């Protein structure tokens, strides 16, 4: 329903675990929180890494990065959120990234891609659930700008 929680998961390859993001939509019932968990697929053990008030924009993608941080894409014109300082038991609360990727609208997917210059962030932009628009795929350039690498035929 309209106020159902959003749950996203991603494989944290460096630890062999899963990251689970539980988002509860900001409403007036007092349960508005966003929590990041690490879950062991071996035994099901869970570690709460961070719990904060929910942002207005629901999350659409979760990406553990090779530097140990975790990125969360938010819907609409919401920012990219970054959890820093993640270790075995905790992450610092999310902060909004100041970047072209963060300013892109309609974020619906994230990937870290190895290139000749190291790793770069690629994302789906322009996705719109209301109109059914699929969006395009963009990657961050070394100067921080975005380059469209795929767009649907018009």
């Amino acid at each position: 329903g309209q106020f159902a929680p959003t749950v996203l998961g991603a494989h944290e390859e460096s630890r062999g675990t899963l990251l689970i993001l539980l988002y509860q939509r900001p409403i007036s019932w007092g349960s508005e929180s966003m929590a990041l968990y690490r879950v062991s697929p071996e035994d099901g053990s869970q570690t709460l890494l961070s719990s904060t008030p929910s942002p207005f924009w629901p999350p659409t993608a979760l990406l553990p990065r090779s530097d140990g941080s975790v990125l969360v894409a938010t819907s609409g014109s919401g920012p990219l959120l970054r959890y820093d300082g993640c270790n075995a038991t905790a992450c610092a609360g999310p902060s909004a990234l100041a970047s072209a990727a963060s300013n892109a609208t309609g974020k619906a997917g994230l990937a870290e891609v190895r290139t000749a210059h190291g790793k770069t962030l690629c994302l789906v932009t322009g996705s719109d659930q209301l109109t059914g628009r699929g969006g395009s795929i963009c990657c961050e350039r070394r100067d921080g700008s975005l380059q469209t690498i795929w767009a649907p035929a018009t």
Side-chain angles (χ1 to χ4, degrees):
Q2 178 181 358
F3 299 111
T6 299
V7 179
L8 299 175
H11 179 230
E12 191 178 25
E13 193 171 329
S14 64
R15 295 178 187 269
T17 57
L18 301 173
L19 289 177
I20 306 295
L21 185 75
L22 172 61
Y23 170 88
Q24 295 176 322
R25 186 172 301 279
I27 51 177
S28 60
W29 297 341
S31 63
E32 308 86 4
S33 68
M34 186 167 71
L36 181 64
Y37 294 89
R38 180 174 288 125
V39 178
S40 168
E42 302 259 334
D43 61 13
S45 62
Q46 301 175 20
T47 303
L48 175 62
L49 300 174
S50 178
S51 181
T52 58
S54 291
F56 174 77
W57 304 276
T60 57
L62 179 65
L63 176 66
R65 298 197 77 183
S66 58
D67 64 4
S69 66
V70 178
L71 293 183
V72 176
T74 56
S75 65
S77 58
L80 275 175
L81 302 175
R82 179 182 172 118
Y83 289 90
D84 276 319
C86 296
N87 59 37
T89 60
C91 292
S95 59
L97 283 182
S99 70
S102 187
N103 293 335
T105 60
K107 292 173 286 298
L110 298 171
E112 190 173 55
V113 179
R114 186 178 312 273
T115 68
H117 305 289
K119 293 189 177 178
T120 188
L121 176 66
C122 295
L123 64 155
V124 175
T125 62
S127 175
D128 188 330
Q129 294 175 358
L130 185 61
T131 63
R133 222 172 84 200
S136 57
I137 299 175
C138 299
C139 292
E140 269 188 326
R141 293 180 174 164
R142 289 179 10 169
D143 67 2
S145 65
L146 289 179
Q147 175 182 5
T148 300
I149 61 168
W150 181 86
T154 56

